[in-house]
Amino acid sequence: MNSRSSESTQSTAVADDSEAQLQMEIDSNNFDSGLTSVKSSRNTVQHVYTNWHHRQPRNSWVCLSAVVFVTTLILALISLLIYFNIYLRAQIPENDIQRLIQFWGKPGTATEGRSHYPTDFSRGIIPIPCHSHNDYERRVPLYDALEAGCISVEADVWLRDGDLLVGHTQKSLTATRTLQSLYLDPLLSILARQNAPENTSESSSGQTAFPFAANVSGIFETNTSVSLTLLVDIKTDGRATFPVIQRQLEPLRAKGWLTHTSDATLVPGPITIVGTGNTPFDQIQAEKGNRDIFFDAPLTQFWGEETEAVNTNRTVFNPQNSLYASAPFSEVIGKPWHGVLRPGQVELIRAHIQAAAAQGLKVRYWDTPAWPIKVREHVWDVLVKEGVGVLNVDDLEGMKSRRW
């Protein structure tokens, strides 16, 4: 019995040892698993932090950018303050003369109403010998050229349904842009204003003084004797278009404002009409008694070698029927050599101008160099120096900047 009790005790002890060992193994496994989980979590946290840190801007660059921005802003504000201080101080009159000039003609002052003149339309504009080429393409046809001082403007006309439409190509034509709306009606309005009864002046003898025989003043207030040339370039059939031009000129004709011939005498007027393109010269010639449309004569037809045709043409084109003698610069003169006209080219220009002057005509070259600007300026200088009738101009701003 004692032996049985001893065996039972030993079995219980062995079981307890096995259970304890098993529990230790379980605890060891749980510890290892927990340790691995902790390590994994730590790695995950480190990875997230690293990614976040790399995405953050570097403080040094942020600070430097902020300093540059603030400094630039401060300098800009200081510059503006200095500018406005100088500008505003210049606007403050320092004496009574400056105060009178600053407020001259303003309402409520003693000089109210004294700053306006009836001829203010062209006040201060100096007419210069320039021709506004393709004038209708400008933002404000006619008026842009007049503001620049041009004494000649060009309009391309197309006969459509009995009216004269203005444009460079047929696709550019519209019913509202006509010779009458863009040029003839404005010219009527301008001259009516310049020749209002209160605008007339008296000479020292007490007689009313006018620059033209028809007792009218021209467009330019600084030189009322200058006649504005309207160069009408006929693009459609000349024989069908020419009579329409004649009819539309009637209001200007009735006022006596057109340059015309009378019994073989040239009578200047404030507006001179010149036909070019498909203008029929024989129809101009047919108006012998009272011609008021003149011709743009081809320069090449009466200049050159002493041939029978050249000599005949020299007797055909004259101030009684023509105003300009025109030719394309690129064809009759050629391109400048390395940006400079050769002596032979300058001599040819001089010969053209002298030949036209002998006929009483003015030379006009079109297709002159437009680029580079330096070359254009050089050609303009030569043409003006040699006495060309008008400069054919596309760039009005560049032309105005010249020292005439």
Side-chain angles (χ1 to χ4, degrees):
M1 185 173 183
N2 289 337
S3 64
R4 292 180 178 176
S5 176
S6 176
E7 291 176 356
S8 176
T9 301
Q10 291 178 352
S11 298
T12 302
V14 171
D16 290 342
D17 291 341
S18 299
E19 185 176 352
Q21 185 176 1
L22 178 62
Q23 185 63 39
M24 289 179 63
E25 290 179 358
I26 292 173
D27 292 342
S28 176
N29 291 337
N30 289 339
F31 176 79
D32 291 341
S33 176
L35 184 61
T36 301
S37 178
V38 169
K39 290 181 178 180
S40 177
S41 299
R42 186 182 63 180
N43 292 337
T44 300
V45 171
Q46 288 180 343
H47 178 71
V48 171
Y49 173 77
T50 302
N51 289 341
W52 174 84
H53 179 70
H54 284 308
R55 287 198 299 268
Q56 303 308 306
R58 296 186 178 181
N59 291 334
S60 59
W61 286 108
V62 173
C63 294
L64 181 61
S65 300
V67 169
V68 171
F69 174 77
V70 172
T71 304
T72 303
L73 182 61
I74 292 174
L75 290 176
L77 291 174
I78 293 174
S79 300
L80 287 174
L81 288 174
I82 294 174
Y83 169 77
F84 281 113
N85 182 49
I86 297 173
Y87 175 77
L88 292 176
R89 288 184 62 184
Q91 303 304 308
I92 301 175
E94 296 182 355
N95 52 56
D96 287 345
I97 293 178
Q98 291 182 354
R99 189 172 293 105
L100 181 68
I101 292 174
Q102 181 175 350
F103 297 102
W104 180 264
K106 298 292 180 63
T109 65
T111 60
E112 182 178 356
R114 299 182 189 178
S115 63
H116 173 72
Y117 292 89
T119 56
D120 268 353
F121 173 78
S122 58
R123 182 180 178 184
I125 298 176
I126 307 297
I128 54 180
C130 77
H131 170 75
S132 180
H133 180 238
N134 291 344
D135 179 78
Y136 48 85
E137 292 186 335
R138 306 198 184 282
R139 193 181 73 83
V140 185
L142 180 62
Y143 292 99
D144 278 346
L146 294 180
E147 191 273 334
C150 288
I151 62 173
S152 181
V153 295
E154 179 179 338
D156 293 357
V157 299
W158 306 72
L159 182 61
R160 288 288 186 276
D161 299 326
D163 203 358
L164 299 171
L165 308 186
V166 174
H168 193 59
T169 63
Q170 296 189 50
K171 293 182 179 179
S172 65
L173 303 179
T174 66
T176 57
R177 293 174 60 87
T178 66
L179 182 66
Q180 192 164 349
S181 66
L182 294 183
Y183 294 96
L184 301 185
D185 286 348
L187 289 174
L188 276 166
S189 176
I190 293 169
L191 289 175
R193 177 176 176 175
Q194 297 295 86
N195 291 281
E198 63 270 20
N199 295 354
T200 59
S201 59
E202 290 188 354
S203 64
S204 58
S205 62
Q207 299 295 321
T208 302
F210 294 96
F212 296 108
N215 292 345
V216 293
S217 295
I219 290 176
F220 296 101
E221 188 265 344
T222 55
N223 190 347
T224 56
S225 64
V226 172
S227 180
L228 177 73
T229 299
L230 175 58
L231 184 68
V232 181
D233 189 346
I234 297 179
K235 296 298 184 180
T236 45
D237 180 71
R239 298 195 176 279
T241 308
F242 188 79
V244 180
I245 297 175
Q246 287 182 311
R247 287 197 299 270
Q248 293 196 1
L249 290 175
E250 183 55 36
L252 286 167
R253 184 181 297 117
K255 293 285 188 178
W257 291 344
L258 294 179
T259 297
H260 62 279
T261 59
S262 178
D263 297 328
T265 300
L266 185 65
V267 182
I271 304 295
T272 301
I273 307 297
V274 177
T276 188
N278 293 333
T279 299
F281 180 66
D282 60 336
Q283 291 192 8
I284 289 179
Q285 281 286 72
E287 301 291 328
K288 294 181 180 180
N290 195 2
R291 181 183 301 120
D292 52 25
I293 300 179
F294 298 84
F295 195 58
D296 183 26
L299 175 62
T300 55
Q301 288 191 19
F302 64 86
W303 181 91
E305 298 180 1
E306 296 292 332
T307 63
E308 182 178 352
V310 169
N311 292 331
T312 300
N313 290 331
R314 286 177 181 173
T315 63
V316 171
F317 302 112
N318 56 68
Q320 298 297 317
N321 55 44
S322 303
L323 177 70
Y324 291 139
S326 301
F329 187 90
S330 58
E331 292 184 14
V332 298
I333 303 299
K335 295 182 178 180
W337 182 255
H338 294 293
V340 178
L341 291 171
R342 299 185 298 274
Q345 291 176 305
V346 176
E347 291 176 4
L348 186 56
I349 291 171
R350 187 177 302 128
H352 285 167
I353 294 173
Q354 291 175 352
Q359 305 300 117
L361 307 181
K362 301 176 182 179
V363 168
R364 180 184 69 94
Y365 294 109
W366 78 85
D367 195 25
T368 53
W371 188 265
I373 301 298
K374 183 178 181 181
V375 176
R376 183 195 70 185
E377 295 290 332
H378 167 68
V379 172
W380 282 2
D381 287 340
V382 172
L383 293 178
V384 171
K385 180 180 179 181
E386 295 299 328
V388 72
V390 286
L391 283 181
N392 202 72
V393 173
D394 290 299
D395 181 9
L396 290 181
E397 293 301 322
M399 183 274 304
K400 287 195 296 185
S401 64
R402 287 181 50 83
R403 294 183 178 181
W404 290 88

